[in-house]
Amino acid sequence: MCGIIGYTGNRKSVPILLEGLKTLEYRGYDSAGISVTDDQSVTTVKAKGRLSVLENKLNASEELTATCGIGHTRWATHGEPSDINSHPHSAEHLTLVHNGIIENYAEIGEMLRGVGYTFVSETDTERAAKLLDMFYAKSHDPLEAIFSACRVIRGSYAFGIMFNDRPEVIYSIRKDSPLIVAHESGNGSFIASDIPAILKYTRSYYRLEEGVVAQISKDGVVFYNSEMEPVSQTLEEVDWDVEQAQKGGYPHFMLKEIHEEPEALRKTLEPRIKDGLPHFGIEQLDGEFLAHFTGIHIVACGTAYHAGLIGKAIIEKLARVPVNVEIASEFRYRDPILRPNDLVILLSQSGETADTLAALRHAKAQGIYTLAIVNVIGSSVAREADSVLYTWAGPEIAVASTKAYSVQCSLLYLLALRMTLANRTLEEETVRRICDSMLTKIPSVIAETLKLNDQIYGYAKQIVNAEHVFYIGRDMDWALCTEGSLKLKEISYIHSEAYAAGELKHGTISLITDGIPVIALTTVSKVCEKTVSGIREVKSRGALVIAFAARELAEKYEIPHDELLIIPEIDELLMPFPAVTVLQLLAYHVSALKGLDVDKPRNLAKSVTVE
Ligand code: F6R
């Protein structure tokens, strides 16, 4: 979603804004712009397309030396991607950038037209700029104008605002959209949508609380509550470095992040296994309280939703507690039945996904205990849930989520194991054995799997020109297929679907013709024979079958195939970890072979902060 950067200080603002925007590119965008201001005037340059287009435009114009400015990458919601619809947007007294969606923008526009305002763009943001302008024209008080405008606006927002008569000061406020504030002494102050944008300058930052205005100048940062009184915000420290947010020699972030899986899993699991047993350090999750949950809802979007499917399989298998996995955008409106003893788990890499956040609020409003499993520290979902388990995957930059999926699955496994202790559905010794395997074997088996890269690249070459690809499997394998299929379609633009192998004959098999690639996954012994029947059905109709199988099963059953890859061995229960790495690498290579923008697939954003 949109990216915001703002800088005011002693240095020229344009290079700082452009660099900041580059670090926010991963959020997804289709146009970009900056406004800089000095005592005299505000200059705005905007361009549809990639940042390089904006950069060229800036290079072609007179050098801008102003030391205060705001920048924005826009992911179109209201109005097509165009120069005019790009941010910043200006009104008589101010210029601003915005991330989020203003739901009552039409109403606001109507009201403003009634008092003489006109609009040049189709955006909700321009309506917000002019609403703020209307209030500012009355009071000439930035705080009063901002709080008044926010009382009218419905929806989500993070704003960066420059008032014409207050050069070198930037104001900011947010609701349901992320924004951080930072100051580097001797240099200046920043606002940004995410940490990588400021990491080059400082490791300390404030995560702006909702409803608090930040006023930044070259000398420092002041925060005000809605009573317009100064308030303090918590200064936080970044515990990862620039290197971690860069490609580190890999051609793409996605490949780098797949290679980071062993380390990410180690970091996520190690602190949660004490004396050989799962331990979360959260009373409700470690004590008997856990046994009182008689039903679980896992709510998430996209890849996180697919991790939820793995969670369902493992929790139901081990802890025997019924689990409902739900797409957050459905959950929030469906009015699902939530019972007092239910637990709602929100899974999210970013912790800012609008639908997941809304689902969390929906559950909390009904008094249901909520647990967030989130990667980004201090994100909205993490802060609002009753308790949070952080995944320690480090920053995930590629739009296609990979390591975040693996760590989400790993925490759901640990939770399932902790529940078995509370519910007494497994012997402590068995839990200990599984925990030990998770800690000692998962990172190394993924490292082994990464060595199969060349073989997987070979399969990618075979399917790179396909128009359709099907993924089949049963039980956990089917859950994994849903993720493999999403990975492929989102970054390679090949149509792909995942099917429970037994479901094929109820319709989809009519799509199987000569040469259609079918990726078959067989790691679950209980259903392997059944999956093999499904594979036979597609093979006999001409499908190109690429099978990924557990060694033991490939030896026991004759798996029909054109290509067969043996997934490195680990206890069957833990097979999803190496298996998903294979699926991720396959999707990666197809996209790279097609020469596509692997890390920034079209139309997608890393953090979906609008509905
Ligand atoms: C796909 C992908 C998305 C996200 C989804 C939820 O590779 O990354 O499907 O998983 O948008 O995002 P988070 O986990 O940030 O809530």
Side-chain angles (χ1 to χ4, degrees), residues 277-445:
L277 293 173
H279 174 81
F280 297 114
I282 297 170
E283 203 186 323
Q284 285 84 345
L285 304 182
D286 281 336
E288 286 304 304
F289 185 68
L290 199 55
H292 104 283
F293 294 120
T294 50
I296 296 179
H297 305 263
I298 301 180
V299 188
C301 304
T303 287
Y305 167 78
H306 294 149
L309 295 177
I310 294 286
K312 173 182 168 73
I314 198 72
I315 294 171
E316 291 190 341
K317 205 180 290 278
L318 301 183
R320 307 303 295 160
V321 177
V323 180
N324 160 43
V325 191
E326 198 141 358
I327 295 168
S329 53
E330 291 294 318
F331 183 89
R332 65 184 294 191
Y333 292 115
R334 207 176 54 77
D335 197 12
I337 298 168
L338 298 174
R339 290 159 307 177
N341 289 351
D342 282 352
L343 166 68
V344 171
I345 301 176
L346 295 308
L347 282 186
S348 177
Q349 189 285 129
S350 63
E352 299 294 348
T353 303
D355 287 319
T356 309
L357 188 57
L360 161 69
R361 290 175 180 165
H362 181 82
K364 279 192 84 174
Q366 295 184 47
I368 304 299
Y369 191 83
T370 53
L371 163 68
I373 296 185
V374 167
N375 196 42
V376 175
I377 299 165
S379 53
S380 304
V381 172
R383 291 199 304 180
E384 291 192 25
D386 293 305
S387 56
V388 55
L389 288 176
Y390 283 115
T391 52
W392 299 109
E396 193 180 62
I397 307 290
V399 164
S401 188
T402 52
K403 58 178 178 171
Y405 171 90
S406 299
V407 290
Q408 283 163 355
C409 291
S410 75
L411 280 186
L412 290 168
Y413 266 68
L414 275 194
L415 190 67
L417 289 167
R418 186 64 195 81
M419 291 185 97
T420 65
L421 293 176
N423 300 350
R424 298 181 179 83
T425 46
L426 275 188
E427 293 297 323
E428 194 178 296
E429 258 335 284
T430 313
V431 176
R432 254 180 223 288
R433 195 186 44 73
I434 301 172
C435 283
D436 182 58
S437 290
M438 287 185 75
L439 254 189
T440 57
K441 296 189 192 158
I442 292 182
S444 55
V445 82

Side-chain angles (χ1 to χ4, degrees), residues 99-115:
N99 172 18
I101 285 188
I102 292 166
E103 283 162 8
N104 56 340
Y105 82 103
E107 222 172 88
I108 293 174
E110 243 353 82
M111 182 271 286
L112 289 169
R113 272 197 191 92
V115 293

Side-chain angles (χ1 to χ4, degrees), residues 112-130:
L112 289 169
R113 272 197 191 92
V115 293
Y117 280 92
T118 55
F119 303 99
V120 293
S121 78
E122 300 155 85
T123 62
D124 52 343
T125 303
E126 192 190 355
R127 273 71 183 166
K130 292 189 171 159

Side-chain angles (χ1 to χ4, degrees), residues 195-215:
I195 294 166
I198 54 119
L199 209 49
K200 195 174 157 192
Y201 311 101
T202 174
R203 303 179 70 79
S204 312
Y205 67 97
Y206 302 93
R207 202 173 285 278
L208 187 61
E209 236 176 76
E210 293 205 351
V212 168
V213 168
Q215 175 193 298

